[in-house]
């Protein structure tokens, strides 16, 4: 997919213009204020919030998670991105390694991929059997119902991206040395299985889209628009989060501001 000099999509996707950086920043700022209010509401009431981000490779999960978490206290808002399971973890109940990362009271946890790996990459790439996939699809609604029944506020987002856009992002990762680390051998193989991933996604959505733990699909062909849409939706699912702010008063300094000084042999390195 191409873009013109103004950053607009080419005729491959004439339906929508790209959102520019300045417009995106202007639209994100008030949402960040609301996210801060949400975090204070979560802490004040001891709520537990779990947000799952799923989607194809290059869909924009990392950027969406950063848009949510960058303005929040990292001690309260945790990002979970687990590596492939160890040999020991492969012998455990499938959900076991994820349960240790569920939110405690007052926490917001953002899963960059989750237990849904089993219904996606593990299924498509042949890392598990079909029996294991079917067992997983039967257990997920029960498992998530238990989370919700215990009071966890669970939100599941699938980030959608067309193959032409995905190809452009893969090419960008290949050409940009600062993004090349995002291209794993699995990504290169998965790139050729767009339709297979789509079929696996459809089966997963059909089995796990429930009233108590529904999926929300967000168009991420324009990642900036996608982030704003996702954050707005997340905020709209929660009640009014207005919690009175604690007034902070600064006492006067006891004297004029001091300069940083060192009496020992160590000195700061020269500045740029």
């Amino acid at each position: 997919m191409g873009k013109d000099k103004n950053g607009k999509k080419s005729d491959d996707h004439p339906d929508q213009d790209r959102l520019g950086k300045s417009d995106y920043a202007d639209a994100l700022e008030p949402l960040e204020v609301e996210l801060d209010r949400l975090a204070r509401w979560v802490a004040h009431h001891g709520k537990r919030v779990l947000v799952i981000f799923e989607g194809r490779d290059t869909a924009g999960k990392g950027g969406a998670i950063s848009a949510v978490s960058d303005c929040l206290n990292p001690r309260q808002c945790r990002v979970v991105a687990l590596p492939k399971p160890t040999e020991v973890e492969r012998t455990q109940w499938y959900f076991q390694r994820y349960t240790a990362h569920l939110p405690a009271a007052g926490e917001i946890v953002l899963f960059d991929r989750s237990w849904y790996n089993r219904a996606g990459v593990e299924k498509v790439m042949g890392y598990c059997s079909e029996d294991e996939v079917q067992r997983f699809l039967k257990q997920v609604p029960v498992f998530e119902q238990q989370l919700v029944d215990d009071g966890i506020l669970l939100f599941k987002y699938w980030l959608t991206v067309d193959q032409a856009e995905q190809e452009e992002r893969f090419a960008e990762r290949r050409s940009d040395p600062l993004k090349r680390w995002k291209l794993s051998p699995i990504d290169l193989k998965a790139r050729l299985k767009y339709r297979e991933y789509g079929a696996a996604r459809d089966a997963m959505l059909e089995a796990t889209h429930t009233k108590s733990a529904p999926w929300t699909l967000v168009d991420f062909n324009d990642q900036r628009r996608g982030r704003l849409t996702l954050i707005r939706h997340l905020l709209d699912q929660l009640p009014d989060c207005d919690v009175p702010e604690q007034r902070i008063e600064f006492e006067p300094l006891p004297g004029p501001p001091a300069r940083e000084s060192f009496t020992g042999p160590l000195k700061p390195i020269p500045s740029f």
Side-chain angles (χ1 to χ4, degrees):
M1 181 193 307
K3 289 178 261 185
D4 67 17
K5 64 181 180 180
N6 296 315
K8 295 183 178 181
K9 293 186 177 184
S10 71
D11 290 339
D12 293 336
H13 285 275
D15 56 313
Q16 193 179 66
D17 293 341
R18 299 284 187 180
L19 187 64
K21 289 183 179 180
S22 178
D23 290 339
Y24 169 69
D26 290 343
L28 180 62
E29 185 175 358
L31 295 180
E32 290 179 325
V33 174
E34 291 193 54
L35 284 169
D36 177 72
R37 291 173 59 205
L38 166 64
R40 287 190 286 111
W41 176 82
V42 169
H44 182 77
H45 293 285
K47 299 295 185 180
R48 292 172 290 165
V49 176
L50 175 62
V51 188
I52 290 176
F53 294 78
E54 291 285 352
R56 299 175 184 273
D57 295 319
T58 79
K61 296 179 291 295
I65 289 171
S66 293
V68 173
S69 63
D70 282 355
C71 63
L72 301 181
N73 185 342
R75 293 183 178 88
Q76 181 190 14
C77 180
R78 294 189 286 112
V79 177
V80 177
L82 299 184
K84 66 180 183 180
T86 65
E87 291 298 325
V88 172
E89 288 172 334
R90 290 192 183 99
T91 68
Q92 297 173 344
W93 177 48
Y94 182 73
F95 297 94
Q96 188 168 339
R97 75 188 192 118
Y98 295 100
T99 57
H101 301 279
L102 295 175
E107 285 189 330
I108 300 170
V109 173
L110 312 177
F111 269 44
D112 185 349
R113 295 195 183 275
S114 65
W115 43 81
Y116 283 102
N117 278 338
R118 172 128 298 178
V121 62
E122 292 185 23
K123 172 183 171 62
V124 175
M125 302 306 293
Y127 298 147
C128 63
S129 68
E130 185 59 29
D131 286 344
E132 288 175 315
V133 173
Q134 294 306 315
R135 186 184 316 125
F136 168 81
L137 293 177
K138 289 180 181 179
Q139 290 181 347
V140 165
V142 178
F143 174 65
E144 292 180 345
Q145 184 65 59
Q146 291 176 329
L147 299 183
V148 173
D149 288 345
D150 201 58
I152 289 179
L153 302 174
L154 173 61
F155 304 95
K156 304 187 300 188
Y157 290 99
W158 180 273
L159 283 51
T160 75
V161 61
D162 296 339
Q163 190 171 24
E165 179 67 26
Q166 185 185 51
E167 281 291 284
E168 184 172 302
R169 294 176 190 176
F170 274 132
E172 182 183 9
R173 290 180 177 184
R174 181 180 61 184
S175 62
D176 187 343
L178 299 182
K179 294 183 178 181
R180 205 167 294 153
W181 64 269
K182 296 183 178 182
L183 278 178
S184 69
I186 296 176
D187 294 334
L188 297 177
K189 294 179 181 178
R191 172 182 160 268
L192 303 176
K193 296 181 178 291
Y194 187 90
R195 294 186 183 276
E196 291 88 338
Y197 270 96
R201 175 209 59 208
D202 290 345
M204 178 199 75
L205 294 177
E206 182 177 359
T208 63
H209 178 65
T210 64
K211 183 177 181 180
S212 58
W215 280 99
T216 300
L217 278 57
V218 186
D219 184 350
F220 260 72
N221 283 295
D222 182 337
Q223 295 190 67
R224 294 186 185 119
R225 290 187 189 275
R227 293 169 198 160
L228 298 175
T229 302
L230 189 153
I231 294 172
R232 180 72 272 162
H233 181 274
L234 176 62
L235 291 168
D236 287 345
Q237 304 315 298
L238 293 162
D240 188 357
C241 305
D242 198 14
V243 174
E245 289 192 65
Q246 180 182 2
R247 186 177 178 86
I248 299 175
E249 299 286 351
F250 283 163
E251 293 185 17
L253 292 176
R259 293 180 60 88
E260 186 91 69
S261 61
F262 301 88
T263 57
L266 293 177
K267 303 294 181 184
I269 62 174
S271 302
F272 272 106

